[in-house]
Amino acid sequence: FVPLHLDVTDQTNEPKRRRFGAVLAAHPRLALLASPGGGKSTLVKRLAVAYTDSARRTQIADDLPERDWLPLFFRCRELRDVARGSFADLLDALARREPVRQHAKLFRAHVDRALLAGSVLLLVDGLDELSDPGDRAAFVCTLRSALQAYPQTALVVTSREAGFRHVAAHLAPICTHATLSPFSTDDISRLSVAWHCEVLGDTEKVRTDAEQLATTIVKNDRIGRLAVNRLLLTTLLLVKRWVGSLPTRRAALYER
């Protein structure tokens, strides 16, 4: 996992690139926008792991806030019938998931205590994946009600920009809006090295070859425009590894 950055607009209305951990520390309620493949879901998974296991949090230098948060993870595409339900309905749906179901009563009691203590981090992934605008608006209203009832609760919600416009006004009073920054040259190199070490083993030659590949990607304007997207960069690395060449066009990349 490569630590991400956000483009946050300041008082001068100029977006500034800031480390995600620093922004979350200053603004514990965030609405994060990005294009498909921009890293939204992976970031939310990182947060879920980091605040479930403090030992895992320190394995990546992303400067996440040192908070004793209990992460509650909602994938919007899985909400279905409860999208228009109450916050209690959402928590019950979590309690019915495997392998929590066998401990549902203990789980709900633990969540209720954490909510009252102000130590819950709500992670909401893919708001735009609630395809019905009415469902999306109702769900956002439920989130707002929950945050009013438990004012110390933190929130990170992700969405593609197109699906966010319909509910942006409802979230504006309670969330800081930010956009996931495209990968920088250093980010591309870090992911290339980390990916190759994971696939081929962590040796000096593997690292050197991965750095050279990253340099090639960055120097080629067409490929570089693809590589600023996390998913497309990972796909480029996969294709290069198993096909042996780097497609310079997006259509060719998808075909491979």
Side-chain angles (χ1 to χ4, degrees):
F1 181 78
V2 174
L4 303 185
H5 291 76
L6 303 181
D7 292 331
V8 182
T9 302
D10 60 12
Q11 291 84 354
T12 64
N13 288 325
E14 290 293 327
K16 291 188 175 181
R17 193 173 192 265
R18 298 181 59 194
R19 289 178 66 88
F20 172 78
V23 177
L24 182 61
H27 306 282
R29 292 181 179 175
L30 291 173
L32 303 181
L33 308 182
S35 59
K40 303 181 295 296
S41 296
T42 304
L43 174 60
V44 172
K45 290 177 184 177
R46 162 62 183 158
L47 292 173
V49 169
Y51 286 104
T52 300
D53 183 353
S54 58
R56 296 282 292 277
R57 193 184 316 161
T58 59
Q59 291 178 358
I60 298 171
D62 49 3
D63 299 329
L64 294 178
E66 289 297 326
R67 296 290 301 273
D68 186 25
W69 278 326
L70 171 67
L72 299 180
F73 190 177
F74 298 94
R75 290 187 178 93
C76 288
R77 67 175 181 270
E78 297 175 351
L79 293 179
R80 299 186 182 91
D81 297 336
V82 297
R84 293 184 182 238
S86 66
F87 188 56
D89 292 333
L90 293 172
L91 296 180
D92 286 340
L94 279 184
R96 290 193 298 270
R97 300 288 297 273
E98 293 293 348
V100 180
R101 182 183 302 174
Q102 58 185 319
H103 309 292
K105 289 184 179 180
L106 289 173
F107 173 77
R108 279 303 312 271
H110 183 56
V111 170
D112 289 343
R113 287 194 298 270
L115 285 166
L116 291 172
S119 58
V120 165
L121 170 61
L122 297 178
L123 300 173
V124 179
D125 187 37
L127 187 60
D128 58 289
E129 293 178 12
L130 289 170
S131 56
D132 183 276
D135 287 351
R136 200 179 311 145
F139 178 68
V140 168
C141 288
T142 298
L143 289 179
R144 286 191 58 171
S145 298
L147 295 178
Q148 289 170 355
Y150 306 103
Q152 299 304 311
T153 298
L155 169 69
V156 174
V157 56
T158 72
S159 178
R160 298 180 186 182
E161 293 190 25
F164 187 74
R165 298 189 190 106
H166 301 289
V167 294
H170 297 291
L171 283 173
I174 60 171
C175 286
T176 298
H177 294 186
T179 304
L180 285 173
S181 304
F183 259 4
S184 66
T185 299
D186 288 342
D187 294 332
I188 291 171
S189 180
R190 289 182 69 177
L191 181 57
S192 179
V193 170
W195 188 88
H196 281 87
C197 287
E198 194 71 25
V199 173
L200 300 176
D202 190 353
T203 67
E204 185 174 349
K205 184 180 187 308
V206 168
R207 286 179 172 271
T208 300
D209 290 346
E211 289 170 356
Q212 291 175 350
L213 176 60
T215 300
T216 300
I217 289 172
V218 170
K219 286 185 176 180
N220 185 303
D221 187 54
R222 270 190 170 182
I223 302 176
R225 286 202 298 270
L226 300 177
V228 298
N229 180 285
R230 286 87 173 158
L231 180 61
L232 292 183
L233 174 56
T234 305
T235 308
L236 279 168
L237 298 177
L238 284 165
V239 170
K240 176 63 172 63
R241 166 71 176 147
W242 280 283
V243 178
S245 61
L246 285 172
T248 58
R249 294 181 298 111
R250 188 178 296 236
L253 175 63
Y254 290 160
E255 182 179 359
R256 295 293 179 90

